[in-house]
């Protein structure tokens, strides 16, 4: 255990010196978790509590009425909700897979290969981090139209597979892999694919987990393709479906249904983050280390 003048710097068990950290971090942690608690409590509020003034943070008389109203609306549509849900699952899985492959492959090339324009390409990728998705909506639409992908299922996936932040994180991880290790693998007869799948990918698993979470969130809640590129209802996603019928009902019902649907859309994001949160913390700790 490292120490300084006889004092433990980072004791494994609780120590009185850690109290100051709990005093600082516990209120901050509680403040950060409040929106999550609010999503859960609001989803089970009856109508009178949703419109109560002053509003209450916690639910007093929890009810399933919001979900009953939600499923009644779902059962009354011409296209079954399972179709939209199936579309969302396929879009999310394919987006995650393609985003990871693209980010790892591009990160490996930009980190370990030397070619003209290498630095410029990475700077362009870094510059792309500045743009919010809505800023590139029109260029995306023009590309989709010119490529002839309007009313094609792939238009749900293609516009969101490129992740500048994912490429940035993975490249930072790959930069830490010794060049000597890759050269030794080449001397042993390893191909580029062998190096990619047997050395690079196992070494950057924390970054891959982070990219997986970000691509999941991007794909699961994406409604852009369903709004702008698709006219065929059977090709649209569950997120769009939820947004459409909650906004089409009257105000008194909308609030409860919106709260219930918000929880349904939020839960998968929460679950995948809880499962992979340790990898995300590793990524944040090492992404800037050379």
């Amino acid at each position: 255990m490292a120490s300084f003048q006889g004092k433990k710097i980072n004791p494994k068990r609780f120590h009185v010196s850690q109290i100051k950290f709990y005093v600082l971090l516990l209120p901050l942690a509680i403040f950060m978790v409040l929106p999550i608690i609010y999503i859960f409590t609001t989803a089970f509020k009856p109508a009178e509590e949703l419109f109560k003034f002053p509003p209450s943070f916690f639910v007093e008389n929890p009810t399933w009425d919001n979900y009953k109203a939600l499923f009644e609306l779902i059962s009354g549509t011409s296209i079954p909700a399972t179709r939209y849900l199936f579309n969302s699952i396929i879009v999310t899985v394919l987006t995650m897979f393609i985003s990871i492959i693209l980010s790892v492959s591009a990160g490996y090339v930009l980190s370990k290969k030397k070619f003209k324009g290498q630095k410029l390409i990475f700077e362009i990728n870094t510059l792309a981090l500045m743009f919010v998705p809505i800023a590139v909506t029109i260029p995306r639409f023009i590309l989709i139209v010119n490529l002839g992908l309007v009313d094609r299922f792939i238009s749900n996936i293609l516009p969101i597979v490129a992740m500048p932040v994912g490429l940035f994180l993975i490249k930072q991880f790959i930069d830490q892999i010794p060049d000597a290790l890759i050269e030794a693998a080449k001397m042993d007869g390893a191909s580029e694919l062998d190096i990619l799948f047997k050395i690079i990918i196992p070494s950057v698993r924390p970054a891959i987990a982070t990219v997986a979470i970000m691509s999941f969130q991007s794909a699961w809640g994406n409604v852009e393709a369903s709004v702008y590129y698709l006219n065929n209802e059977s090709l649209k996603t569950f997120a769009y479906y939820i947004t459409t019928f909650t906004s089409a009902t009257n105000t008194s019902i909308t609030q409860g249904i919106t709260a219930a649907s918000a929880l349904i859309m939020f839960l998968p994001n929460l679950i995948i983050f809880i499962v992979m949160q340790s990898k995300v913390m590793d990524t944040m700790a090492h992404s800037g280390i050379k």
Side-chain angles (χ1 to χ4, degrees):
M1 179 71 65
S3 62
F4 180 72
Q5 294 182 349
K7 296 181 179 180
K8 293 180 179 180
I9 295 176
N10 189 25
K12 292 183 178 180
R13 298 181 180 180
F14 175 78
H15 189 268
V16 67
S17 64
Q18 296 176 330
I19 293 179
K20 57 182 177 292
F21 300 116
Y22 286 103
V23 171
L24 176 65
L25 295 177
L26 279 178
L28 182 61
I30 293 172
F31 179 76
M32 297 295 288
V33 81
L34 285 178
I36 298 176
I37 297 175
Y38 184 76
I39 290 175
F40 277 88
T41 58
T42 304
F44 295 96
K45 285 183 179 180
E48 58 271 17
E49 289 187 38
L50 288 170
F51 292 95
K52 181 180 178 181
F53 186 84
S56 59
F57 187 85
F58 296 101
V59 57
E60 298 174 2
N61 299 299
T63 179
W64 290 94
D65 289 347
N66 296 332
Y67 290 94
K68 291 178 181 177
L70 176 65
F71 292 125
E72 285 177 3
L73 278 177
I74 289 176
S75 61
T77 56
S78 57
I79 298 178
T82 51
R83 176 65 188 184
Y84 295 98
L85 185 59
F86 175 78
N87 290 344
S88 284
I89 292 173
I90 296 299
V91 168
T92 302
V93 170
L94 289 179
T95 300
M96 288 175 62
F97 177 77
I98 297 173
S99 294
I100 290 170
I101 294 298
L102 288 177
S103 297
V104 174
S105 302
Y108 170 56
V109 171
L110 290 173
S111 177
K112 299 303 181 183
K113 301 296 180 181
K114 305 299 178 184
F115 56 91
K116 188 176 181 179
Q118 176 185 23
K119 185 177 180 181
L120 176 62
I121 293 174
F122 185 66
E123 288 176 350
I124 292 174
N125 180 81
T126 305
L127 181 64
L129 297 174
M130 299 173 57
F131 294 94
V132 294
I134 196 170
V136 294
T137 300
I138 294 177
R140 281 179 175 175
F141 179 78
I142 294 173
L143 283 173
I144 292 295
V145 171
N146 289 338
L147 291 173
L149 298 179
V150 175
D151 257 354
R152 300 289 184 89
F153 187 79
I154 194 174
S155 62
N156 279 311
I157 302 169
L158 189 60
I160 57 176
V161 291
M163 296 188 61
V165 65
L167 173 56
F168 178 84
L169 290 174
I170 287 180
K171 181 188 177 297
Q172 296 298 95
F173 256 74
I174 297 176
D175 284 344
Q176 301 171 51
I177 300 175
D179 293 339
L181 178 61
I182 296 176
E183 293 300 325
K186 289 181 179 179
M187 291 178 65
D188 289 339
S191 65
E192 294 292 348
L193 287 178
D194 290 331
I195 294 172
L196 185 64
F197 286 99
K198 296 181 180 180
I199 297 178
I200 302 299
I201 290 179
S203 300
V204 299
R205 281 180 294 181
I208 289 175
T210 304
V211 173
I213 291 175
M214 292 188 297
S215 60
F216 177 91
Q217 293 176 335
S218 174
W220 179 252
N222 183 52
V223 298
E224 180 181 295
S226 298
V227 172
Y228 298 118
Y229 316 139
L230 300 173
N231 298 312
N232 188 340
E233 286 291 326
S234 63
L235 299 178
K236 297 184 178 183
T237 59
F238 190 69
Y240 170 81
Y241 177 65
I242 291 290
T243 303
T244 300
F245 71 70
T246 53
S247 62
T249 55
N250 65 69
T251 305
S252 62
I253 299 176
T254 297
Q255 296 300 318
I257 292 178
T258 301
S261 59
L263 181 58
I264 292 175
M265 294 300 298
F266 172 72
L267 274 178
N269 291 291
L270 179 63
I271 292 170
I272 192 172
F273 179 80
I274 291 174
V275 171
M276 297 186 176
Q277 61 88 21
S278 62
K279 299 295 184 182
V280 175
M281 296 303 104
D282 289 343
T283 304
M284 298 301 105
H286 294 94
S287 60
I289 299 176
K290 294 291 182 181

